[in-house]
Amino acid sequence: KQEVTQIPAALSVPEGENLVLNCSFTDSAIYNLQWFRQDPGKGLTSLLLIQSSQREQTSGRLNASLDKSSGRSTLYIAASQPGDSATYLCAVASYNTDKLIFGTGTRLQVFP
Amino acid sequence: EAGVTQFPSHSVIEKGQTVTLRCDPISGHDNLYWYRRVMGKEIKFLLHFVKESKQDESGMPNNRFLAERTGGTYSTLKVQPAELEDSGVYFCASSPRRAGAEQYFGPGTRLTVT
């Protein structure tokens, strides 16, 4: 049974810092891994999608890596800004099923 | 292109009442998913439609929950009768019909059962 864990659960940093959020999963047989952002009271915004055959994806100040064999993904946020404050969720789609298994998220606060 | 929409955004009902949530997927997306987050827990899968057919309903908690997708377009999720533990945020997502496709989420419906 696939399980997804995110560390840390919460993070508070000053503006400008580079951050690393961690996601680990127990079953390496995955289709893909998605990183989402959720603002309070809002829906999920997809940030990056990494297919199982890929090692990383980049979008602006965000970079996500995937090491399928070790069951790990990291989301790197460069030069953090207060507007990056949100909860970040990772989710994996296991092989032969389309459903996403979510981690509990990392709550990020970036202060000026 | 319009995103996934959900209605209502918030619903407050009493225990024992019935509530119907609606999801309109992105046009042309054959896959439609329902997920929910209950207080303090991670988001969990409920079920998956491919067009109008239920592909996977392994996450449905019990027979008080009924999901339909008439004509393969919008979907409804009915809870009857609602219980206190049904409170949470219900998300809908859609994706094109290909393996490993990105799922696009709606804003969610916050359900409060009192």
Side-chain angles (χ1 to χ4, degrees):
Chain A
K1 178 186 173 185
Q2 179 74 270
E3 293 182 1
V4 180
T5 305
Q6 290 187 247
I7 294 173
L11 188 61
S12 182
V13 300
E15 181 176 8
E17 278 205 4
N18 300 323
L19 311 171
V20 175
L21 308 183
N22 297 291
C23 173
S24 61
F25 47 96
T26 54
D27 185 351
S28 62
I30 63 170
Y31 264 139
N32 60 46
L33 183 146
Q34 277 187 255
W35 282 95
F36 295 90
R37 167 186 174 138
Q38 185 177 24
D39 293 282
K42 299 293 179 68
L44 305 179
T45 300
S46 181
L47 298 174
L48 291 164
L49 169 72
I50 311 178
Q51 300 292 352
S52 61
S53 59
Q54 297 175 320
R55 298 282 294 182
E56 66 177 344
Q57 283 286 339
T58 298
S59 176
R61 294 183 295 108
L62 305 179
N63 176 278
S65 67
L66 175 65
D67 184 343
K68 200 172 64 167
S69 61
S70 66
R72 293 181 182 178
S73 176
T74 60
L75 179 66
Y76 176 83
I77 303 176
S80 59
Q81 303 170 358
D84 295 329
S85 299
T87 296
Y88 289 80
L89 298 162
C90 77
V92 299
S94 293
Y95 194 65
N96 280 336
T97 174
D98 285 338
K99 65 184 179 185
L100 292 177
I101 307 297
F102 281 84
T104 50
T106 293
R107 185 179 302 169
L108 172 65
Q109 182 180 12
V110 181
F111 53 90
Chain B
E1 177 184 277
V4 178
T5 58
Q6 294 186 244
F7 183 83
S9 58
H10 194 181
S11 179
V12 181
I13 62 171
E14 293 183 354
K15 176 182 173 181
Q17 289 186 323
T18 297
V19 63
T20 300
L21 314 180
R22 174 172 170 144
C23 167
D24 286 78
I26 292 173
S27 178
H29 282 189
D30 286 344
N31 288 317
L32 187 149
Y33 309 84
W34 284 97
Y35 296 84
R36 76 170 178 178
R37 171 181 254 170
V38 295
M39 184 66 70
K41 302 285 189 180
E42 68 272 22
I43 297 172
K44 288 193 173 178
F45 167 83
L46 295 177
L47 87 158
H48 170 206
F49 284 99
V50 177
K51 295 189 177 180
E52 68 277 4
S53 300
K54 292 177 185 175
Q55 182 77 12
D56 180 356
E57 51 185 329
S58 61
M60 294 288 265
N62 51 60
N63 59 10
R64 294 185 294 103
F65 289 75
L66 175 64
E68 295 179 326
R69 189 179 183 193
T70 306
T73 55
Y74 70 91
S75 174
T76 58
L77 180 64
K78 179 188 289 187
V79 185
Q80 179 182 29
E83 298 289 345
L84 298 178
E85 63 264 25
D86 301 331
S87 296
V89 182
Y90 290 76
F91 293 102
C92 175
S94 71
S95 72
R97 191 176 184 181
R98 61 176 183 271
E102 183 173 4
Q103 294 187 24
Y104 298 86
F105 279 72
T109 293
R110 181 173 296 277
L111 174 64
T112 303
V113 183
T114 63

